[in-house]
Amino acid sequence: MIKNLNPLTFSEYGSVYTSAEYACLKKETPKTITFTEASPLFYTGEYQLYLDVVEYPTLLEIMYEQDCLSAQNYDIYLLDKPVSLNSKVYFRIVPMHTKCTVEFYPGHLSLNQYFYSISSQKDRHYVLNIPKIYVAFYQEKEKGFYFKGEHHPCWELTYVDTGEMFSVVEKQKFLLRQGDLAFYGPNQHHIQYAAKNSSVNFFSIAFDMELKKPSLLQNQVFHISHAHAALLNRIISESTVSQLYSEELMICYLKEFLILLFRTLHGQSQTKPPDSHLKQNLEKNIICEVCNYVEENIFSPVTVSDIAHHVNLSMPYLSALFHKKEGIRLIEYINNKKLEKSKEMIRSGQYTITQISEMLGYSSIHYFSRLFKSTYSISPSEYAKALR
C-alpha cells in the first residue's frame, strides 16, 4: 500500500522538508535524472542523501539492509515532497506512469560514488500482464479420446472438470484428475488423451501472457479449489455471450485467478492464523461426508436440511463451513453435481429429458431445463441434439 509522505510516517528512513527548507539546504547544483522504468535498487552507504521530484508522479520504494535479503519488508511512498534519506538505506525510484524526473543532492559527484547499485532482491518473477485471450471453451470428450498434439505461440490452460486424462509435455507425462490444472507455455508441444475406459470434461483457455519466469507454471500439475474453478467457469460463461466489455471482463477473471494461484504458491493464501490440526481434520472429514452424501443421493431431491441432519450440524453452521472450505454455496454444489450427472445421462442416450429430470429429483422438467440453460447457456434438448 502506498503511504502518505510526512515527517511521522517517514521518520524511520529520514526526514521530510518543505520546498523552502530544501532550497536553503542546497549549496550546489543537484543532479537530475529521468527514469522511464523502475530504477535499480540503490544503496546510500555511509552518506545522507536528499531527493526531490522535479516532474511527474513518482513512487519511492525503500527498505533497510536487514530487510533487503528477503525483500518482504519494504515501504512505498508517494514522493511529493523533498526528503533526506539516512545512511545504509536501500531505495528504488518508480515512475507512476511512463516516466519521472528526480533531483539528487549532493550532485557534484557521479551517482556511482554516492550509491552502490545492486541487482533487485525483490522477486519480480510474478510481474503479470495478459493483453489478450484468444479462445475459451468447455470440451466434453468420449472414452479413450486422443489428441495428437500441437504447439502454438501463446499460453494455454487446461482444467479437468470431471474425469481424468493424461497430458504429455515435452516427453513428460502427467495425470490430471478432477480439479487439476496444467499450463502449456508458448511453443510447448503437448498431447492430451484419456484411458480407454475414461471420459473427461475440461476447460481450455488460450491467451497471451507476459510472465518473467514461465517455469513457475510449466511442467507441473496444480490442484485448485472450487473458488478458483468458479473463476474459470466465469471466463467460459462470458465467452458464450456477446456483451459490452466481455473480453476485458474475461481478462480480469483470468488475472484474478492467476494472482490467487501465485499467492498460494508464495504461501500468502491465508489471511489469518491457520486453524489447529485437529480442527482442520474434523472440518475436512465433514466436507468429505457432505460430498459423499450428495454423490450417493444424486437421484434424490437432496436439500441442505437433509445434509445438515445427516452430519448432525445446524444448517447455518454447515452452510458457512462448506462455503469457507470449498468457496461455493452448498446449494450451488448440489445443483452443479446434479447438472453434471444430467449431462452424463444425456450423453449416454438411454433416457429422455423428462426421465432424467424425474430421476434426479427435480420438481418439474421446466425448472430442470431453466437451471440447465442458466448454467451451460444451452437447453438440455439443444445439448442432446448437439451430441448427435
Side-chain angles (χ1 to χ4, degrees), residues 34-280:
T34 297
F35 298 91
T36 56
E37 59 182 14
S39 73
L41 193 63
F42 291 118
Y43 181 49
T44 59
E46 300 300 324
Y47 301 93
Q48 184 183 45
L49 176 74
Y50 295 86
L51 302 178
D52 188 22
V53 64
V54 176
E55 194 174 27
Y56 305 116
T58 304
L59 297 179
L60 174 65
E61 293 183 357
I62 190 164
M63 67 194 84
Y64 270 107
E65 184 173 0
Q66 60 265 34
D67 300 325
C68 183
L69 294 178
S70 66
Q72 296 298 313
N73 301 315
Y74 64 94
D75 289 310
I76 306 175
Y77 295 90
L78 178 63
L79 188 61
D80 57 356
K81 306 176 188 70
V83 298
S84 64
L85 305 185
N86 296 336
S87 60
K88 298 181 180 179
V89 166
Y90 291 88
F91 71 95
R92 180 186 290 111
I93 302 297
V94 182
M96 285 191 69
H97 300 301
T98 56
K99 65 178 180 178
C100 67
T101 303
V102 177
E103 184 177 276
F104 298 83
Y105 178 79
H108 64 282
L109 296 177
S110 69
L111 278 177
N112 287 337
Q113 290 177 275
Y114 273 88
F115 307 100
Y116 173 53
S117 178
I118 63 174
S119 61
S120 170
Q121 298 293 329
K122 183 181 177 185
D123 192 346
R124 298 281 179 173
H125 298 326
Y126 295 95
V127 173
L128 177 65
N129 182 35
I130 301 175
K132 185 174 181 62
I133 292 179
Y134 291 99
V135 65
F137 56 98
Y138 189 90
Q139 303 189 66
E140 300 175 350
K141 298 298 185 180
E142 69 284 356
K143 291 180 179 179
F145 103 93
Y146 182 86
F147 174 60
K148 66 180 180 180
E150 65 176 356
H151 64 274
H152 38 66
C154 61
W155 281 85
E156 182 179 334
L157 172 160
T158 293
Y159 168 73
V160 175
D161 187 29
T162 62
E164 62 181 41
M165 72 176 185
F166 292 96
S167 177
V168 181
V169 186
E170 297 175 343
K171 299 183 179 180
Q172 277 187 282
K173 185 164 76 171
F174 301 93
L175 174 61
L176 278 70
R177 295 188 172 92
Q178 184 176 13
D180 286 347
L181 174 84
F183 291 89
Y184 310 119
N187 298 312
Q188 263 198 320
H189 189 268
H190 52 280
I191 299 169
Q192 296 173 329
Y193 66 94
K196 290 183 179 179
N197 59 346
S198 297
S199 59
V200 63
N201 298 340
F202 58 94
F203 296 157
S204 288
I205 303 173
F207 55 98
D208 279 339
M209 176 169 64
E210 297 171 19
L211 186 65
K212 294 289 186 180
K213 194 175 181 182
S215 60
L216 290 168
L217 300 177
Q218 291 174 323
N219 303 328
Q220 54 189 309
V221 175
F222 303 93
H223 187 79
I224 63 174
S225 68
H226 286 293
H228 286 74
L231 285 169
L232 297 180
N233 196 41
R234 288 181 185 177
I235 297 172
I236 301 299
S237 298
E238 194 66 30
S239 71
T240 64
V241 299
S242 180
Q243 295 185 3
L244 192 64
Y245 296 121
S246 283
E247 184 176 352
E248 286 78 3
L249 191 55
M250 289 166 63
I251 289 174
C252 289
Y253 289 147
L254 182 55
K255 285 186 101 171
E256 182 180 356
F257 171 82
L258 289 167
I259 289 169
L260 292 175
L261 180 61
F262 287 144
R263 285 182 175 180
T264 301
L265 294 177
H266 213 55
Q268 297 177 347
S269 58
Q270 291 177 321
T271 56
K272 59 181 181 179
D275 293 329
S276 70
H277 183 66
L278 183 62
K279 183 179 179 183
Q280 285 181 340

Side-chain angles (χ1 to χ4, degrees), residues 321-384:
L321 174 64
F322 194 90
H323 188 271
K324 180 182 80 169
K325 291 295 183 182
E326 299 299 305
I328 186 174
R329 293 189 304 134
L330 181 51
I331 189 64
E332 289 180 82
Y333 177 81
I334 297 169
N335 286 334
N336 289 346
K337 284 298 178 183
K338 283 182 172 287
L339 289 173
E340 287 172 10
K341 190 66 177 178
S342 73
K343 291 176 76 175
E344 182 182 318
M345 295 171 74
I346 293 172
R347 288 198 301 272
S348 74
Q350 298 178 17
Y351 311 97
T352 66
I353 303 300
T354 301
Q355 288 174 326
I356 292 170
S357 172
E358 291 174 350
M359 291 172 70
L360 289 172
Y362 287 101
S363 56
S364 72
I365 186 174
H366 302 293
Y367 174 68
F368 166 62
S369 297
R370 189 166 64 251
L371 194 61
F372 191 101
K373 187 165 185 177
S374 68
T375 303
Y376 299 118
S377 300
I378 188 174
S379 70
S381 55
E382 290 170 335
Y383 177 70

Side-chain angles (χ1 to χ4, degrees), residues 275 279 282-283 286-287 304 308 311-325 330:
D275 293 329
K279 183 179 179 183
L282 178 62
E283 291 179 343
I286 292 171
I287 298 301
V304 176
V311 296
N312 198 28
L313 293 173
S314 70
M315 283 177 56
Y317 179 81
L318 176 62
S319 298
L321 174 64
F322 194 90
H323 188 271
K324 180 182 80 169
K325 291 295 183 182
L330 181 51

